[in-house]
Short mmCIF file of all heavy atoms in Angstrom, two decimals:
data_model
loop_
_atom_site.label_atom_id
_atom_site.label_comp_id
_atom_site.label_asym_id
_atom_site.label_seq_id
_atom_site.Cartn_x
_atom_site.Cartn_y
_atom_site.Cartn_z
N MET A 1 -1.12 6.90 -16.65
CA MET A 1 0.07 6.12 -16.36
C MET A 1 0.24 5.03 -17.42
O MET A 1 -0.72 4.40 -17.82
CB MET A 1 -0.05 5.47 -14.99
CG MET A 1 0.15 6.47 -13.86
SD MET A 1 0.21 5.66 -12.26
CE MET A 1 -1.52 5.71 -11.81
N GLY A 2 1.43 4.79 -17.83
CA GLY A 2 1.67 3.83 -18.87
C GLY A 2 2.05 2.44 -18.40
O GLY A 2 2.32 1.58 -19.21
N CYS A 3 2.06 2.23 -17.11
CA CYS A 3 2.58 0.96 -16.59
C CYS A 3 1.48 -0.04 -16.29
O CYS A 3 1.75 -1.15 -15.88
CB CYS A 3 3.39 1.21 -15.32
SG CYS A 3 2.42 2.06 -14.08
N GLY A 4 0.21 0.36 -16.44
CA GLY A 4 -0.88 -0.55 -16.17
C GLY A 4 -1.35 -0.52 -14.73
O GLY A 4 -2.34 -1.16 -14.40
N CYS A 5 -0.67 0.22 -13.87
CA CYS A 5 -1.03 0.24 -12.45
C CYS A 5 -2.43 0.81 -12.23
O CYS A 5 -3.11 0.42 -11.30
CB CYS A 5 -0.04 1.08 -11.66
SG CYS A 5 1.64 0.46 -11.75
N SER A 6 -2.87 1.72 -13.11
CA SER A 6 -4.16 2.37 -12.90
C SER A 6 -5.31 1.40 -13.10
O SER A 6 -6.43 1.69 -12.72
CB SER A 6 -4.30 3.57 -13.83
OG SER A 6 -4.16 3.15 -15.17
N LYS A 7 -5.03 0.23 -13.68
CA LYS A 7 -6.09 -0.75 -13.88
C LYS A 7 -6.31 -1.62 -12.65
O LYS A 7 -7.27 -2.38 -12.60
CB LYS A 7 -5.74 -1.66 -15.06
CG LYS A 7 -5.93 -0.96 -16.40
CD LYS A 7 -5.82 -1.94 -17.56
CE LYS A 7 -4.41 -2.30 -17.76
NZ LYS A 7 -3.83 -2.44 -19.01
N LEU A 8 -5.43 -1.52 -11.68
CA LEU A 8 -5.56 -2.35 -10.49
C LEU A 8 -6.76 -1.86 -9.68
O LEU A 8 -6.83 -0.71 -9.30
CB LEU A 8 -4.27 -2.27 -9.66
CG LEU A 8 -3.03 -2.73 -10.43
CD1 LEU A 8 -1.78 -2.38 -9.65
CD2 LEU A 8 -3.09 -4.21 -10.70
N LYS A 9 -7.70 -2.75 -9.42
CA LYS A 9 -8.98 -2.27 -8.92
C LYS A 9 -9.11 -2.29 -7.40
O LYS A 9 -9.95 -1.61 -6.86
CB LYS A 9 -10.14 -3.02 -9.57
CG LYS A 9 -10.08 -4.52 -9.38
CD LYS A 9 -11.23 -5.16 -10.16
CE LYS A 9 -11.28 -6.66 -10.00
NZ LYS A 9 -10.00 -7.34 -10.21
N ASP A 10 -8.28 -3.05 -6.71
CA ASP A 10 -8.40 -3.02 -5.25
C ASP A 10 -7.03 -3.30 -4.62
O ASP A 10 -6.04 -3.53 -5.32
CB ASP A 10 -9.46 -4.01 -4.76
CG ASP A 10 -9.16 -5.45 -5.13
OD1 ASP A 10 -7.99 -5.77 -5.42
OD2 ASP A 10 -10.11 -6.26 -5.13
N GLY A 11 -7.00 -3.24 -3.30
CA GLY A 11 -5.74 -3.38 -2.58
C GLY A 11 -5.06 -4.71 -2.82
O GLY A 11 -3.84 -4.78 -2.94
N LYS A 12 -5.85 -5.78 -2.91
CA LYS A 12 -5.26 -7.10 -3.14
C LYS A 12 -4.56 -7.15 -4.49
O LYS A 12 -3.48 -7.71 -4.62
CB LYS A 12 -6.34 -8.18 -3.07
CG LYS A 12 -6.86 -8.42 -1.66
CD LYS A 12 -7.82 -9.61 -1.65
CE LYS A 12 -8.19 -10.05 -0.25
NZ LYS A 12 -9.09 -9.14 0.45
N ALA A 13 -5.19 -6.54 -5.50
CA ALA A 13 -4.58 -6.51 -6.83
C ALA A 13 -3.28 -5.71 -6.81
O ALA A 13 -2.31 -6.06 -7.48
CB ALA A 13 -5.56 -5.91 -7.84
N VAL A 14 -3.26 -4.62 -6.01
CA VAL A 14 -2.04 -3.82 -5.89
C VAL A 14 -0.93 -4.64 -5.24
O VAL A 14 0.21 -4.67 -5.72
CB VAL A 14 -2.30 -2.53 -5.10
CG1 VAL A 14 -0.99 -1.76 -4.87
CG2 VAL A 14 -3.30 -1.63 -5.82
N VAL A 15 -1.26 -5.35 -4.15
CA VAL A 15 -0.25 -6.18 -3.47
C VAL A 15 0.31 -7.21 -4.44
O VAL A 15 1.53 -7.37 -4.57
CB VAL A 15 -0.86 -6.89 -2.24
CG1 VAL A 15 0.12 -7.93 -1.68
CG2 VAL A 15 -1.21 -5.87 -1.16
N ASP A 16 -0.57 -7.91 -5.16
CA ASP A 16 -0.12 -8.96 -6.07
C ASP A 16 0.77 -8.38 -7.18
O ASP A 16 1.80 -8.96 -7.53
CB ASP A 16 -1.33 -9.67 -6.70
CG ASP A 16 -2.12 -10.46 -5.66
OD1 ASP A 16 -1.60 -10.69 -4.55
OD2 ASP A 16 -3.27 -10.83 -5.97
N HIS A 17 0.37 -7.22 -7.70
CA HIS A 17 1.13 -6.56 -8.77
C HIS A 17 2.51 -6.14 -8.28
O HIS A 17 3.53 -6.43 -8.93
CB HIS A 17 0.34 -5.34 -9.27
CG HIS A 17 1.05 -4.55 -10.33
ND1 HIS A 17 1.06 -4.93 -11.65
CD2 HIS A 17 1.77 -3.41 -10.24
CE1 HIS A 17 1.78 -4.04 -12.33
NE2 HIS A 17 2.21 -3.11 -11.51
N VAL A 18 2.55 -5.47 -7.13
CA VAL A 18 3.83 -4.96 -6.62
C VAL A 18 4.75 -6.13 -6.25
O VAL A 18 5.95 -6.11 -6.56
CB VAL A 18 3.59 -4.04 -5.40
CG1 VAL A 18 4.91 -3.66 -4.74
CG2 VAL A 18 2.85 -2.78 -5.83
N LYS A 19 4.18 -7.18 -5.63
CA LYS A 19 5.01 -8.34 -5.28
C LYS A 19 5.53 -9.05 -6.52
O LYS A 19 6.65 -9.55 -6.52
CB LYS A 19 4.20 -9.31 -4.42
CG LYS A 19 4.11 -8.85 -2.98
CD LYS A 19 3.60 -9.98 -2.11
CE LYS A 19 3.93 -9.72 -0.66
NZ LYS A 19 3.51 -10.83 0.20
N SER A 20 4.72 -9.10 -7.59
CA SER A 20 5.15 -9.76 -8.81
C SER A 20 6.34 -9.04 -9.43
O SER A 20 7.12 -9.63 -10.16
CB SER A 20 4.00 -9.85 -9.81
OG SER A 20 3.78 -8.60 -10.44
N LYS A 21 6.48 -7.75 -9.11
CA LYS A 21 7.62 -6.97 -9.60
C LYS A 21 8.76 -6.94 -8.57
O LYS A 21 9.79 -6.31 -8.83
CB LYS A 21 7.19 -5.53 -9.88
CG LYS A 21 5.98 -5.43 -10.79
CD LYS A 21 6.34 -4.86 -12.14
CE LYS A 21 5.13 -4.86 -13.05
NZ LYS A 21 5.50 -4.81 -14.45
N GLY A 22 8.55 -7.55 -7.42
CA GLY A 22 9.59 -7.59 -6.38
C GLY A 22 9.86 -6.24 -5.74
O GLY A 22 10.96 -5.98 -5.25
N LYS A 23 8.85 -5.37 -5.72
CA LYS A 23 9.06 -4.01 -5.23
C LYS A 23 8.38 -3.73 -3.89
O LYS A 23 8.20 -2.56 -3.52
CB LYS A 23 8.55 -3.01 -6.27
CG LYS A 23 9.41 -3.02 -7.53
CD LYS A 23 8.97 -1.97 -8.52
CE LYS A 23 9.95 -1.92 -9.71
NZ LYS A 23 9.50 -1.01 -10.75
N GLU A 24 8.01 -4.77 -3.17
CA GLU A 24 7.22 -4.54 -1.95
C GLU A 24 7.99 -3.81 -0.85
O GLU A 24 7.39 -3.24 0.05
CB GLU A 24 6.65 -5.86 -1.41
CG GLU A 24 7.68 -6.88 -0.96
CD GLU A 24 8.07 -7.85 -2.08
OE1 GLU A 24 8.02 -7.45 -3.27
OE2 GLU A 24 8.43 -8.99 -1.74
N ASN A 25 9.32 -3.80 -0.95
CA ASN A 25 10.09 -3.09 0.08
C ASN A 25 10.58 -1.72 -0.38
O ASN A 25 11.40 -1.09 0.29
CB ASN A 25 11.29 -3.95 0.53
CG ASN A 25 10.82 -5.18 1.29
OD1 ASN A 25 9.91 -5.11 2.11
ND2 ASN A 25 11.41 -6.33 0.99
N PHE A 26 10.08 -1.27 -1.53
CA PHE A 26 10.47 0.05 -2.01
C PHE A 26 9.82 1.14 -1.16
O PHE A 26 8.66 0.99 -0.75
CB PHE A 26 10.01 0.24 -3.46
CG PHE A 26 10.99 -0.28 -4.48
CD1 PHE A 26 11.58 -1.52 -4.32
CD2 PHE A 26 11.28 0.46 -5.62
CE1 PHE A 26 12.46 -2.02 -5.27
CE2 PHE A 26 12.17 -0.03 -6.58
CZ PHE A 26 12.76 -1.27 -6.41
N PRO A 27 10.52 2.24 -0.92
CA PRO A 27 9.87 3.36 -0.23
C PRO A 27 8.94 4.09 -1.18
O PRO A 27 9.22 4.19 -2.38
CB PRO A 27 11.04 4.26 0.18
CG PRO A 27 12.12 3.95 -0.80
CD PRO A 27 11.93 2.50 -1.22
N PRO A 28 7.80 4.60 -0.69
CA PRO A 28 6.94 5.42 -1.55
C PRO A 28 7.61 6.76 -1.84
O PRO A 28 8.54 7.17 -1.15
CB PRO A 28 5.67 5.59 -0.71
CG PRO A 28 6.12 5.41 0.70
CD PRO A 28 7.29 4.47 0.67
N LYS A 29 7.12 7.45 -2.89
CA LYS A 29 7.68 8.76 -3.24
C LYS A 29 7.48 9.76 -2.11
O LYS A 29 8.29 10.65 -1.90
CB LYS A 29 6.99 9.30 -4.50
CG LYS A 29 7.35 8.55 -5.76
CD LYS A 29 6.59 9.14 -6.95
CE LYS A 29 6.67 8.24 -8.16
NZ LYS A 29 5.74 8.69 -9.23
N VAL A 30 6.35 9.62 -1.41
CA VAL A 30 6.04 10.48 -0.28
C VAL A 30 5.70 9.57 0.90
O VAL A 30 4.95 8.62 0.75
CB VAL A 30 4.82 11.39 -0.59
CG1 VAL A 30 4.46 12.25 0.61
CG2 VAL A 30 5.10 12.26 -1.82
N ALA A 31 6.30 9.84 2.06
CA ALA A 31 6.00 9.03 3.26
C ALA A 31 4.71 9.52 3.88
O ALA A 31 4.70 10.34 4.79
CB ALA A 31 7.16 9.11 4.24
N HIS A 32 3.59 9.03 3.37
CA HIS A 32 2.28 9.51 3.82
C HIS A 32 1.99 9.05 5.24
O HIS A 32 2.34 7.95 5.64
CB HIS A 32 1.19 8.93 2.92
CG HIS A 32 1.27 9.37 1.50
ND1 HIS A 32 0.93 10.63 1.10
CD2 HIS A 32 1.68 8.73 0.39
CE1 HIS A 32 1.10 10.73 -0.21
NE2 HIS A 32 1.56 9.60 -0.67
N ASN A 33 1.29 9.91 5.98
CA ASN A 33 0.72 9.49 7.25
C ASN A 33 -0.66 8.94 6.97
O ASN A 33 -1.52 9.63 6.43
CB ASN A 33 0.62 10.68 8.22
CG ASN A 33 1.96 10.96 8.86
OD1 ASN A 33 2.68 10.05 9.24
ND2 ASN A 33 2.29 12.23 8.96
N LEU A 34 -0.86 7.68 7.34
CA LEU A 34 -2.14 7.03 7.11
C LEU A 34 -2.90 6.90 8.41
O LEU A 34 -2.30 6.59 9.44
CB LEU A 34 -1.92 5.60 6.60
CG LEU A 34 -1.56 5.38 5.15
CD1 LEU A 34 -1.55 3.87 4.89
CD2 LEU A 34 -2.55 6.05 4.24
N THR A 35 -4.20 7.12 8.36
CA THR A 35 -5.04 6.78 9.50
C THR A 35 -5.82 5.54 9.13
O THR A 35 -6.61 5.54 8.20
CB THR A 35 -6.00 7.94 9.84
OG1 THR A 35 -5.22 9.09 10.14
CG2 THR A 35 -6.85 7.58 11.05
N CYS A 36 -5.54 4.48 9.84
CA CYS A 36 -6.17 3.19 9.57
C CYS A 36 -7.62 3.21 10.04
O CYS A 36 -8.02 4.02 10.87
CB CYS A 36 -5.39 2.11 10.31
SG CYS A 36 -6.01 0.45 10.05
N GLU A 37 -8.40 2.25 9.50
CA GLU A 37 -9.79 2.17 9.95
C GLU A 37 -9.90 1.76 11.42
O GLU A 37 -10.94 1.96 12.03
CB GLU A 37 -10.60 1.22 9.06
CG GLU A 37 -9.86 -0.02 8.63
CD GLU A 37 -10.55 -0.76 7.47
OE1 GLU A 37 -10.78 -0.15 6.41
OE2 GLU A 37 -10.84 -1.94 7.65
N CYS A 38 -8.82 1.24 12.02
CA CYS A 38 -8.85 0.92 13.45
C CYS A 38 -8.55 2.14 14.30
O CYS A 38 -8.63 2.08 15.53
CB CYS A 38 -7.84 -0.19 13.77
SG CYS A 38 -6.11 0.34 13.75
N GLY A 39 -8.18 3.26 13.67
CA GLY A 39 -7.92 4.48 14.42
C GLY A 39 -6.44 4.79 14.59
O GLY A 39 -6.07 5.89 14.99
N GLU A 40 -5.59 3.82 14.29
CA GLU A 40 -4.15 4.01 14.41
C GLU A 40 -3.64 4.91 13.28
O GLU A 40 -4.10 4.80 12.15
CB GLU A 40 -3.46 2.64 14.34
CG GLU A 40 -1.96 2.67 14.50
CD GLU A 40 -1.53 2.84 15.94
OE1 GLU A 40 -2.41 2.91 16.83
OE2 GLU A 40 -0.31 2.92 16.18
N THR A 41 -2.70 5.78 13.60
CA THR A 41 -2.05 6.58 12.57
C THR A 41 -0.59 6.14 12.47
O THR A 41 0.07 6.00 13.49
CB THR A 41 -2.13 8.08 12.91
OG1 THR A 41 -3.51 8.45 13.00
CG2 THR A 41 -1.48 8.92 11.83
N PHE A 42 -0.14 5.89 11.27
CA PHE A 42 1.25 5.47 11.08
C PHE A 42 1.78 6.00 9.76
O PHE A 42 1.02 6.47 8.92
CB PHE A 42 1.37 3.94 11.16
CG PHE A 42 0.66 3.19 10.05
CD1 PHE A 42 1.36 2.71 8.96
CD2 PHE A 42 -0.71 2.97 10.12
CE1 PHE A 42 0.71 2.02 7.94
CE2 PHE A 42 -1.37 2.29 9.10
CZ PHE A 42 -0.66 1.81 8.02
N THR A 43 3.10 5.95 9.62
CA THR A 43 3.75 6.45 8.41
C THR A 43 4.02 5.29 7.46
O THR A 43 4.57 4.27 7.86
CB THR A 43 5.07 7.14 8.77
OG1 THR A 43 4.79 8.17 9.70
CG2 THR A 43 5.74 7.73 7.55
N LEU A 44 3.62 5.45 6.21
CA LEU A 44 3.86 4.42 5.20
C LEU A 44 5.33 4.51 4.76
O LEU A 44 5.72 5.43 4.08
CB LEU A 44 2.93 4.64 4.00
CG LEU A 44 2.84 3.47 3.04
CD1 LEU A 44 1.93 2.37 3.61
CD2 LEU A 44 2.32 3.90 1.69
N GLU A 45 6.11 3.53 5.19
CA GLU A 45 7.55 3.55 4.91
C GLU A 45 7.93 2.70 3.71
O GLU A 45 8.99 2.87 3.12
CB GLU A 45 8.32 3.08 6.14
CG GLU A 45 8.21 4.09 7.28
CD GLU A 45 8.69 3.55 8.61
OE1 GLU A 45 8.84 2.32 8.74
OE2 GLU A 45 8.89 4.36 9.52
N THR A 46 7.09 1.74 3.38
CA THR A 46 7.29 0.93 2.18
C THR A 46 5.95 0.87 1.44
O THR A 46 4.90 1.12 2.03
CB THR A 46 7.76 -0.51 2.53
OG1 THR A 46 6.84 -1.08 3.46
CG2 THR A 46 9.15 -0.49 3.15
N VAL A 47 6.00 0.54 0.16
CA VAL A 47 4.78 0.60 -0.65
C VAL A 47 3.74 -0.45 -0.25
O VAL A 47 2.57 -0.32 -0.58
CB VAL A 47 5.09 0.53 -2.17
CG1 VAL A 47 5.82 1.79 -2.62
CG2 VAL A 47 5.85 -0.72 -2.52
N ILE A 48 4.21 -1.50 0.45
CA ILE A 48 3.26 -2.42 1.08
C ILE A 48 3.63 -2.48 2.55
O ILE A 48 4.77 -2.75 2.91
CB ILE A 48 3.33 -3.84 0.46
CG1 ILE A 48 2.92 -3.78 -1.01
CG2 ILE A 48 2.43 -4.81 1.23
CD1 ILE A 48 3.05 -5.11 -1.72
N MET A 49 2.67 -2.19 3.40
CA MET A 49 2.96 -2.13 4.83
C MET A 49 1.70 -2.45 5.62
O MET A 49 0.59 -2.08 5.23
CB MET A 49 3.46 -0.71 5.17
CG MET A 49 3.99 -0.61 6.59
SD MET A 49 4.66 1.05 6.88
CE MET A 49 4.78 0.95 8.68
N ASN A 50 1.90 -3.15 6.74
CA ASN A 50 0.77 -3.47 7.61
C ASN A 50 0.64 -2.41 8.70
O ASN A 50 1.64 -1.89 9.19
CB ASN A 50 0.98 -4.83 8.28
CG ASN A 50 0.86 -5.97 7.29
OD1 ASN A 50 0.51 -5.78 6.14
ND2 ASN A 50 1.16 -7.17 7.76
N CYS A 51 -0.60 -2.13 9.08
CA CYS A 51 -0.86 -1.28 10.24
C CYS A 51 -0.21 -1.93 11.46
O CYS A 51 -0.37 -3.13 11.67
CB CYS A 51 -2.37 -1.15 10.46
SG CYS A 51 -2.83 -0.38 12.02
N PRO A 52 0.53 -1.15 12.26
CA PRO A 52 1.22 -1.75 13.42
C PRO A 52 0.26 -2.23 14.50
O PRO A 52 0.64 -3.02 15.36
CB PRO A 52 2.12 -0.62 13.93
CG PRO A 52 1.55 0.63 13.34
CD PRO A 52 0.85 0.25 12.07
N LYS A 53 -0.98 -1.80 14.45
CA LYS A 53 -1.92 -2.18 15.50
C LYS A 53 -2.81 -3.36 15.09
O LYS A 53 -2.85 -4.37 15.78
CB LYS A 53 -2.78 -0.96 15.86
CG LYS A 53 -3.63 -1.17 17.09
CD LYS A 53 -4.26 0.15 17.50
CE LYS A 53 -5.24 -0.04 18.64
NZ LYS A 53 -6.00 1.19 18.89
N CYS A 54 -3.51 -3.24 13.96
CA CYS A 54 -4.47 -4.28 13.59
C CYS A 54 -3.96 -5.15 12.44
O CYS A 54 -4.61 -6.11 12.07
CB CYS A 54 -5.80 -3.66 13.21
SG CYS A 54 -5.78 -2.75 11.64
N GLU A 55 -2.79 -4.80 11.87
CA GLU A 55 -2.15 -5.56 10.80
C GLU A 55 -2.94 -5.58 9.50
O GLU A 55 -2.80 -6.48 8.68
CB GLU A 55 -1.82 -7.00 11.26
CG GLU A 55 -0.91 -6.96 12.49
CD GLU A 55 -0.25 -8.30 12.75
OE1 GLU A 55 0.70 -8.60 12.02
OE2 GLU A 55 -0.68 -9.01 13.66
N MET A 56 -3.77 -4.57 9.32
CA MET A 56 -4.37 -4.36 8.00
C MET A 56 -3.26 -4.02 7.01
O MET A 56 -2.42 -3.17 7.29
CB MET A 56 -5.39 -3.23 8.07
CG MET A 56 -5.97 -2.83 6.73
SD MET A 56 -6.95 -4.12 5.94
CE MET A 56 -8.49 -3.97 6.86
N THR A 57 -3.24 -4.69 5.89
CA THR A 57 -2.23 -4.43 4.87
C THR A 57 -2.66 -3.27 3.98
O THR A 57 -3.78 -3.27 3.46
CB THR A 57 -2.00 -5.69 4.01
OG1 THR A 57 -1.54 -6.74 4.85
CG2 THR A 57 -0.99 -5.42 2.90
N TYR A 58 -1.78 -2.30 3.83
CA TYR A 58 -2.00 -1.19 2.89
C TYR A 58 -1.00 -1.29 1.76
O TYR A 58 0.15 -1.67 1.98
CB TYR A 58 -1.85 0.16 3.62
CG TYR A 58 -3.05 0.44 4.49
CD1 TYR A 58 -3.08 0.01 5.80
CD2 TYR A 58 -4.17 1.09 3.97
CE1 TYR A 58 -4.20 0.21 6.60
CE2 TYR A 58 -5.28 1.31 4.75
CZ TYR A 58 -5.30 0.87 6.05
OH TYR A 58 -6.42 1.07 6.82
N ALA A 59 -1.45 -0.94 0.56
CA ALA A 59 -0.60 -1.10 -0.61
C ALA A 59 -0.80 0.04 -1.59
O ALA A 59 -1.91 0.57 -1.75
CB ALA A 59 -0.92 -2.43 -1.31
N VAL A 60 0.29 0.42 -2.24
CA VAL A 60 0.25 1.42 -3.30
C VAL A 60 1.35 1.04 -4.30
O VAL A 60 2.36 0.43 -3.92
CB VAL A 60 0.45 2.85 -2.73
CG1 VAL A 60 1.85 3.03 -2.14
CG2 VAL A 60 0.17 3.92 -3.77
N THR A 61 1.13 1.34 -5.56
CA THR A 61 2.18 1.08 -6.54
C THR A 61 3.27 2.15 -6.39
O THR A 61 2.95 3.29 -6.03
CB THR A 61 1.64 1.11 -7.97
OG1 THR A 61 1.01 2.36 -8.19
CG2 THR A 61 0.64 -0.01 -8.19
N PRO A 62 4.53 1.79 -6.66
CA PRO A 62 5.59 2.82 -6.55
C PRO A 62 5.29 4.05 -7.40
O PRO A 62 5.49 5.18 -6.95
CB PRO A 62 6.84 2.07 -7.05
CG PRO A 62 6.57 0.64 -6.70
CD PRO A 62 5.08 0.44 -6.91
N CYS A 63 4.77 3.86 -8.61
CA CYS A 63 4.56 5.01 -9.49
C CYS A 63 3.37 5.87 -9.06
O CYS A 63 3.29 7.04 -9.40
CB CYS A 63 4.39 4.57 -10.93
SG CYS A 63 2.95 3.54 -11.21
N GLY A 64 2.45 5.29 -8.27
CA GLY A 64 1.30 6.05 -7.80
C GLY A 64 1.44 6.54 -6.37
O GLY A 64 0.52 7.11 -5.81
N SER A 65 2.63 6.32 -5.79
CA SER A 65 2.79 6.53 -4.35
C SER A 65 2.92 7.99 -3.94
O SER A 65 3.05 8.28 -2.75
CB SER A 65 4.00 5.74 -3.85
OG SER A 65 5.18 6.21 -4.48
N ASP A 66 2.91 8.91 -4.92
CA ASP A 66 2.92 10.33 -4.54
C ASP A 66 1.53 10.81 -4.12
O ASP A 66 1.40 11.87 -3.55
CB ASP A 66 3.46 11.19 -5.69
CG ASP A 66 2.72 10.96 -7.00
OD1 ASP A 66 2.02 9.93 -7.13
OD2 ASP A 66 2.85 11.81 -7.88
N SER A 67 0.51 10.00 -4.36
CA SER A 67 -0.86 10.41 -4.02
C SER A 67 -1.46 9.47 -2.99
O SER A 67 -1.54 8.26 -3.21
CB SER A 67 -1.73 10.42 -5.27
OG SER A 67 -3.07 10.72 -4.90
N ILE A 68 -1.91 10.04 -1.88
CA ILE A 68 -2.47 9.22 -0.80
C ILE A 68 -3.74 8.51 -1.24
O ILE A 68 -4.09 7.45 -0.70
CB ILE A 68 -2.68 10.10 0.46
CG1 ILE A 68 -2.80 9.22 1.72
CG2 ILE A 68 -3.88 11.02 0.30
CD1 ILE A 68 -2.67 9.98 3.01
N GLU A 69 -4.42 9.05 -2.25
CA GLU A 69 -5.65 8.42 -2.73
C GLU A 69 -5.39 7.05 -3.33
O GLU A 69 -6.31 6.24 -3.46
CB GLU A 69 -6.29 9.29 -3.83
CG GLU A 69 -6.73 10.64 -3.34
CD GLU A 69 -7.00 11.59 -4.52
OE1 GLU A 69 -7.00 11.14 -5.68
OE2 GLU A 69 -7.19 12.77 -4.25
N ASN A 70 -4.17 6.81 -3.75
CA ASN A 70 -3.85 5.53 -4.39
C ASN A 70 -3.53 4.42 -3.39
O ASN A 70 -3.37 3.27 -3.79
CB ASN A 70 -2.67 5.73 -5.35
CG ASN A 70 -3.03 6.61 -6.52
OD1 ASN A 70 -4.17 6.61 -6.97
ND2 ASN A 70 -2.07 7.36 -7.02
N ILE A 71 -3.42 4.76 -2.12
CA ILE A 71 -3.12 3.76 -1.11
C ILE A 71 -4.41 3.03 -0.74
O ILE A 71 -5.40 3.65 -0.39
CB ILE A 71 -2.49 4.40 0.13
CG1 ILE A 71 -1.22 5.16 -0.25
CG2 ILE A 71 -2.18 3.33 1.19
CD1 ILE A 71 -0.66 6.03 0.86
N LYS A 72 -4.39 1.70 -0.88
CA LYS A 72 -5.61 0.94 -0.68
C LYS A 72 -5.42 -0.16 0.36
O LYS A 72 -4.36 -0.81 0.39
CB LYS A 72 -6.04 0.28 -2.00
CG LYS A 72 -6.39 1.30 -3.07
CD LYS A 72 -7.15 0.63 -4.18
CE LYS A 72 -7.81 1.65 -5.09
NZ LYS A 72 -6.95 2.15 -6.12
N PRO A 73 -6.43 -0.40 1.19
CA PRO A 73 -6.36 -1.54 2.11
C PRO A 73 -6.59 -2.85 1.35
O PRO A 73 -7.41 -2.92 0.44
CB PRO A 73 -7.48 -1.26 3.10
CG PRO A 73 -8.47 -0.42 2.34
CD PRO A 73 -7.68 0.36 1.33
N ALA A 74 -5.86 -3.89 1.74
CA ALA A 74 -5.96 -5.16 1.03
C ALA A 74 -6.55 -6.27 1.92
O ALA A 74 -6.85 -7.34 1.43
CB ALA A 74 -4.58 -5.60 0.53
N GLY A 75 -6.69 -6.00 3.20
CA GLY A 75 -7.19 -7.03 4.11
C GLY A 75 -6.19 -7.26 5.24
O GLY A 75 -5.01 -6.95 5.10
N ILE A 76 -6.69 -7.81 6.35
CA ILE A 76 -5.82 -8.06 7.50
C ILE A 76 -4.76 -9.09 7.13
O ILE A 76 -5.07 -10.16 6.62
CB ILE A 76 -6.66 -8.59 8.69
CG1 ILE A 76 -7.76 -7.60 9.08
CG2 ILE A 76 -5.76 -8.94 9.88
CD1 ILE A 76 -7.31 -6.40 9.84
N LYS A 77 -3.50 -8.73 7.34
CA LYS A 77 -2.35 -9.61 7.08
C LYS A 77 -2.37 -10.18 5.67
O LYS A 77 -2.01 -11.34 5.47
CB LYS A 77 -2.31 -10.77 8.10
CG LYS A 77 -1.98 -10.31 9.50
CD LYS A 77 -1.73 -11.55 10.37
CE LYS A 77 -1.55 -11.17 11.83
NZ LYS A 77 -1.41 -12.37 12.66
N TYR A 78 -2.80 -9.38 4.70
CA TYR A 78 -2.79 -9.90 3.33
C TYR A 78 -1.38 -10.06 2.79
O TYR A 78 -1.08 -11.00 2.05
CB TYR A 78 -3.60 -9.01 2.39
CG TYR A 78 -3.73 -9.59 1.01
CD1 TYR A 78 -4.56 -10.68 0.78
CD2 TYR A 78 -3.00 -9.08 -0.06
CE1 TYR A 78 -4.66 -11.26 -0.47
CE2 TYR A 78 -3.10 -9.67 -1.32
CZ TYR A 78 -3.92 -10.74 -1.52
OH TYR A 78 -4.01 -11.31 -2.77
N ALA A 79 -0.50 -9.13 3.14
CA ALA A 79 0.88 -9.20 2.63
C ALA A 79 1.71 -10.18 3.44
O ALA A 79 1.52 -10.32 4.64
CB ALA A 79 1.53 -7.83 2.65
ZN1 ZN B 101 -5.13 -0.61 11.86
#
């Protein structure tokens, strides 16, 4: 990837990067179904989204959002 997103090493870095670009409300390329570590399953509708149950923040860059492996937890209510 040429945008530098691949250098982001954890979920917090992804949140900070995406927010710095003002893209936190963008839809991902694929609406992945995520299973949170709390056991809740939900659909990722924006590139930064909190689990509806435990409010763990999940984040992915728009350009990496076609792959579920790129979605990273950033911490409870990080976003
Ligand atoms: Zn959860």
Side-chain angles (χ1 to χ4, degrees):
M1 285 188 269
C3 57
C5 299
S6 58
K7 285 190 286 221
L8 301 169
K9 57 184 182 311
D10 61 21
K12 289 186 170 73
V14 174
V15 171
D16 293 345
H17 177 81
V18 172
K19 282 194 161 183
S20 76
K21 307 249 176 202
K23 292 184 174 174
E24 63 269 29
N25 292 318
F26 274 45
K29 290 179 193 170
V30 178
H32 297 286
N33 280 318
L34 281 186
T35 301
C36 182
E37 39 194 57
C38 74
E40 182 78 1
T41 300
F42 65 100
T43 303
L44 194 78
E45 292 167 345
T46 54
V47 292
I48 297 176
M49 189 176 166
N50 290 354
C51 170
K53 190 170 174 189
C54 71
E55 302 196 76
M56 174 64 79
T57 299
Y58 285 89
V60 66
T61 56
C63 63
S65 62
D66 54 343
S67 175
I68 199 166
E69 296 165 9
N70 293 328
I71 303 170
K72 296 196 166 84
I76 302 284
K77 291 190 187 176
Y78 186 73

